[in-house]
Amino acid sequence: MILYLPLTAVMQTLLPMLSFDNTENAFAYKTDKELRKSKFLFKLINNNLLVKIGTRLTPIAFKLHLPIKAVVKSTIFNHFCGGETLNETLSVIDKLAMFNVGTILDYGVEGKQSDEDFDFAVEEFIKAIKFSGGNKNIPFLSLKITGIARLKLLEKIATEKTLTDSETVEWNRVKGRMHRICKNALENGKSMMIDAEETWIQKPVDDLVEEMSRFYNKEHAVVYNTIQHYRHDRLAFLKTSLQKAKSGNYLLAVKLVRGAYMEKERARAKKMNYSSPINADKTATDIDYNAGVKFCLKNINSISFCVASHNEASNMLTAKFLLEQQLSPNHPNVHFSQLFGMSDHITFNLAKAGFNVTKYLPYGPVKEVVPYLMRRAQENTSVSGQMGRELNLLKKELTRRNN
Ligand SMILES: Cc1cc2nc3c(=O)[nH]c(=O)nc-3n(C[C@H](O)[C@H](O)[C@H](O)COP(=O)(O)OP(=O)(O)OC[C@H]3O[C@@H](n4cnc5c(N)ncnc54)[C@H](O)[C@@H]3O)c2cc1C
């Protein structure tokens, strides 16, 4: 149901309330001790040399079976992940829900390449869907197609070369896995957010998500594709996706991101001498991202979307556009999401003002989520700039509480 509210009244009430500077709301879910622990962790991550050494040595230490699990688990793992098992994630999910924040469950195991591993992953996804079945605080689950399909197969399909008979059988097995996952999601009233990956494997991912959307997104947005706005062709892709959805009579569901593989994309394009798929600069990416948000809001009856971003301006713009269109802040087709352990100032302030917000919460054995944790550490160094933001907010809240 779409709620239409008097524009000026809603904007006058909600927008002044929405400030990402409010650290009291942002960290209300953390005790003083937890805040100090987070501050300590972000201070460590601020040390570029430590991160450089840590991100190289941690995966090796796990391979050598060195006893580092307890240290990793009690620090970076607990900060960025929900637990090792589904049951362990429950206390985090419940705590987030107390502050009106939902959860996107992410089975964080990566880098597998055998059919056996893929079938195991499918069983894990189905377990997670059933686990979240009766829990309204878990509206979404996230899935990487590379978690259920071989990388080399995806690469070959992306080049549009003819598949061998056994590759065709293999690809049909991947489709079968997706059907099982989506069917279970539909039956349990959940939505699957499919991650976007590198351009050289993205085409089969897009095609697969489109095929599943045609099938499952009839009354409810069961499958979400991901649009990476650092790609200069994605705004056009978003528009074409909507045309296809309209003519195919299904709902388009998309997660809007800027994109996580910029350096890798540019380096490959340079090395292999093709034109980079990435926008020329950050401003161009920001313009495309915000245009994507506006496009989705203009077509809100046909698109369900999620602003998956830590960018304050994009989150604020979405909130503002939403209210300008006289839509309710908790419109069922508009969602916001940030990673667990980051940008609480955006998440909890949006939630407090009544918007639909979720945290992306990875879980899995500590050893298996190490690649995810290493990416978070690298993203939060002082080089990338994100660390400064997180650390300053934590310091600000500790000072506020002590005064
Ligand atoms: C819930 C959630 C789910 C996500 N899922 C995915 C996913 O499925 N696939 C995926 O790829 N990423 C995903 N991401 C990561 C996302 O793509 C971004 O890397 C990350 O969120 C940083 O972008 P931002 O919008 O938060 O903010 P910002 O910090 O404002 O933007 C940083 C981003 O801008 C872009 N950028 C930076 N410099 C330049 C430049 N010089 N030229 C062009 N562009 C530039 C890059 O994409 C960079 O990551 C997800 C993020 C979240 C929060």
Side-chain angles (χ1 to χ4, degrees):
M1 183 181 62
I2 299 170
L3 295 176
Y4 290 93
L5 300 168
L7 170 65
T8 44
V10 173
M11 286 191 66
Q12 273 166 8
T13 322
L14 273 181
L15 277 182
M17 264 177 63
L18 183 62
S19 158
F20 297 145
D21 293 333
N22 187 326
T23 56
E24 185 177 357
N25 291 340
F27 297 114
Y29 79 112
K30 280 191 193 279
T31 62
D32 290 0
K33 193 175 165 202
E34 286 166 341
L35 265 188
R36 280 194 295 273
K37 206 171 161 195
S38 300
K39 187 180 140 199
F40 174 71
L41 181 73
F42 276 102
K43 268 194 158 169
L44 285 184
I45 295 177
N46 186 28
N47 186 324
N48 296 324
L49 185 64
L50 197 71
V51 170
K52 235 181 188 171
I53 296 170
T55 49
R56 291 246 171 99
L57 291 190
T58 311
I60 297 171
F62 270 106
K63 268 193 194 129
L64 295 174
H65 304 286
L66 297 179
I68 60 161
K69 180 181 154 182
V71 176
V72 174
K73 187 164 182 182
S74 66
T75 54
I76 189 166
F77 179 90
N78 279 347
H79 186 87
F80 290 110
C81 298
E84 292 201 76
T85 62
L86 281 168
N87 278 333
E88 273 183 32
T89 63
L90 260 186
S91 60
V92 178
I93 293 166
D94 289 347
K95 196 186 248 185
L96 294 173
M98 282 166 61
F99 296 87
N100 262 338
V101 175
T103 293
I104 302 180
L105 262 187
D106 173 56
Y107 176 57
V109 175
E110 301 180 9
K112 303 291 179 190
Q113 291 303 323
S114 75
D115 263 331
E116 207 185 351
D117 288 328
F118 298 144
D119 288 335
F120 180 79
V122 172
E123 296 315 316
E124 283 300 312
F125 285 122
I126 291 173
K127 231 195 265 174
I129 292 169
K130 291 187 171 156
F131 170 85
S132 53
N135 191 338
K136 65 175 179 16
N137 300 322
I138 316 171
F140 301 105
L141 293 97
S142 138
L143 169 71
K144 267 193 165 59
I145 298 300
T146 43
I148 60 163
R150 201 165 49 85
L151 194 68
K152 290 284 167 204
L153 178 68
L154 293 170
E155 267 183 47
K156 180 157 180 191
I157 299 172
T159 60
E160 296 183 350
K161 283 186 193 146
T162 312
L163 297 184
T164 63
D165 287 348
S166 76
E167 284 166 342
T168 304
V169 171
E170 188 183 349
W171 184 230
N172 284 335
R173 268 203 303 273
V174 175
K175 289 187 181 180
R177 290 183 187 123
M178 271 302 273
H179 273 295
R180 273 196 69 206
I181 292 170
C182 294
K183 184 171 168 286
N184 273 277
L186 177 68
E187 285 169 1
N188 285 278
K190 300 292 152 186
S191 301
M192 300 301 305
M193 287 193 172
I194 313 301
D195 279 0
E197 305 193 49
E198 292 88 345
T199 43
W200 52 96
I201 56 167
Q202 190 57 34
K203 175 81 171 67
V205 173
D206 289 334
D207 291 348
L208 190 57
V209 178
E210 185 187 319
E211 193 177 325
M212 295 300 133
S213 303
R214 264 177 210 287
F215 205 89
Y216 295 97
N217 287 6
K218 289 294 180 188
E219 277 152 33
H220 166 65
V222 175
V223 199
Y224 281 67
N225 201 3
T226 298
I227 312 285
Q228 296 163 312
H229 289 280
Y230 66 4
R231 285 181 60 173
H232 50 64
D233 64 345
R234 289 294 96 169
L235 209 47
F237 174 79
L238 175 63
K239 292 176 183 172
T240 313
S241 299
L242 179 61
Q243 280 166 7
K244 284 184 182 173
K246 280 186 169 167
S247 60
N249 208 19
Y250 61 92
L251 269 170
L252 179 67
V254 284
K255 175 176 72 167
L256 306 181
V257 300
R258 281 184 168 73
Y261 310 103
M262 183 176 74
E263 283 88 9
K264 214 171 163 186
E265 291 282 357
R266 283 187 171 149
R268 185 177 191 265
K270 196 170 169 197
K271 188 170 164 212
M272 296 174 68
N273 201 23
Y274 60 87
S275 157
S276 171
I278 307 299
N279 272 320
D281 53 33
K282 174 79 161 64
T283 307
T285 297
D286 291 344
I287 290 172
D288 275 8
Y289 191 93
N290 295 337
V293 168
K294 280 190 188 171
F295 178 79
C296 290
L297 274 171
K298 284 216 171 97
N299 293 284
I300 199 59
N301 293 329
S302 316
I303 304 183
S304 191
F305 77 104
C306 176
V307 170
S309 170
H310 297 158
N311 183 296
E312 291 174 20
S314 292
N315 279 287
M316 191 58 89
L317 270 180
T318 313
K320 198 168 159 259
F321 294 154
L322 178 66
L323 300 179
E324 273 175 7
Q325 296 228 28
Q326 308 201 28
L327 300 170
S328 159
N330 65 347
H331 188 287
N333 286 1
V334 186
H335 301 267
F336 297 80
S337 186
Q338 290 78 41
L339 306 183
F340 181 68
M342 287 173 72
S343 294
D344 287 343
H345 64 303
I346 297 178
T347 309
F348 289 89
N349 281 303
L350 280 170
K352 181 109 184 171
F355 294 89
N356 292 324
V357 199
T358 49
K359 280 290 198 195
Y360 180 98
L361 186 70
Y363 72 94
V366 176
K367 184 179 168 207
E368 303 285 355
V369 295
V370 162
Y372 177 86
L373 294 175
M374 297 303 103
R375 282 204 301 280
R376 294 292 78 79
Q378 281 161 342
E379 188 176 74
N380 283 286
T381 60
S382 54
V383 169
S384 75
Q386 178 79 15
M387 190 287 314
R389 259 192 276 178
E390 300 290 345
L391 191 56
N392 285 337
L393 289 160
L394 289 162
K395 282 183 185 164
K396 185 178 163 193
E397 176 58 6
L398 278 166
T399 310
R400 192 197 65 80
R401 287 191 192 181
N402 291 328
N403 280 331

